[in-house]
Amino acid sequence: MIHYSGLRKDRPFLAVNCAIFTEELLASELFGHERGAFTGAVSTKQGLIEIANKGSLFLDEIAEMTPTLQAKLLKVIEDRGIHESRGTKSIKVDIRFIAATNQNINTLVAEGRFREDLFYRLNVMDIYIPPSGKEKRTSSPLANIFSKNRQRRRIRK
């Protein structure tokens, strides 16, 4: 709903579940790779970050991302670009990152298991959705949040 109610609605929306990949495979999915970069890399592959340019990338289960990949993602956000593996070229990207986790991210940050600087870069708008067994009507409060946000944007224009 976030992607499709915003200005990027006609641009790419991609999603990746960070919990189902090893560190190397998730890096390849997000950043792409050059042919021969590792065993099995038989061709050059464009990463999801580059493909989602001008659109949105949903990072599901972001808390499962390793510290190394968290640092690389932070660099993309700060530089607004990705660097090819050979380091010869930088590709600028304009992308909205949407992230989710079923873990208490504040606890992970406090314990040093999730980068605080990355958390603050991603945490532009915090939406807590209680587990479905605890809350009978999660869609109505969530719809109200998006509706109010959309109304605020219209007023600013």
Side-chain angles (χ1 to χ4, degrees):
M1 186 162 179
I2 294 170
H3 175 79
Y4 295 107
S5 65
L7 298 174
R8 298 172 188 257
K9 65 184 173 197
D10 297 325
R11 302 294 187 158
F13 175 80
L14 301 173
V16 63
N17 185 333
C18 301
I20 64 171
F21 293 100
T22 63
E23 180 179 11
E24 187 176 85
L25 288 176
L26 183 57
S28 177
E29 284 295 308
L30 293 174
F31 305 104
H33 61 259
E34 296 293 321
R35 180 176 181 255
F38 54 86
T39 304
V42 294
S43 63
T44 298
K45 179 182 184 290
Q46 196 177 27
L48 293 177
I49 292 172
E50 188 177 351
I51 296 168
N53 191 25
K54 306 288 185 200
S56 302
L57 178 59
F58 175 53
L59 301 167
D60 195 16
E61 296 303 337
I62 193 168
E64 300 298 327
M65 191 178 279
T66 65
T68 301
L69 286 182
Q70 289 177 33
K72 288 180 179 181
L73 181 60
L74 179 63
K75 181 116 177 90
V76 168
I77 294 169
E78 288 176 343
D79 294 352
R80 294 185 174 179
I82 54 176
H83 303 281
E84 279 190 341
S85 59
R86 289 178 268 147
T88 58
K89 186 170 91 171
S90 178
I91 301 165
K92 292 295 178 192
V93 291
D94 173 15
I95 187 169
R96 171 193 289 143
F97 288 99
I98 303 168
T101 183
N102 65 358
Q103 299 182 51
N104 185 326
I105 196 77
N106 292 310
T107 300
L108 297 176
V109 168
E111 293 172 350
R113 295 183 1 208
F114 194 86
R115 290 183 65 109
E116 185 174 17
D117 47 2
L118 177 59
F119 171 72
Y120 285 111
R121 291 287 188 156
L122 291 172
N123 194 32
V124 174
M125 179 173 37
D126 189 26
I127 301 171
Y128 173 74
I129 302 173
S132 58
K134 291 184 180 179
E135 182 70 38
K136 296 287 184 205
R137 294 174 36 189
T138 58
S139 61
S140 179
L142 189 57
N144 289 335
I145 289 169
F146 290 119
S147 177
K148 287 177 186 175
N149 190 25
R150 193 170 191 162
Q151 287 172 355
R152 276 190 233 124
R153 263 192 270 141
R154 286 186 184 147
I155 292 169
R156 286 187 212 151
K157 290 180 180 178

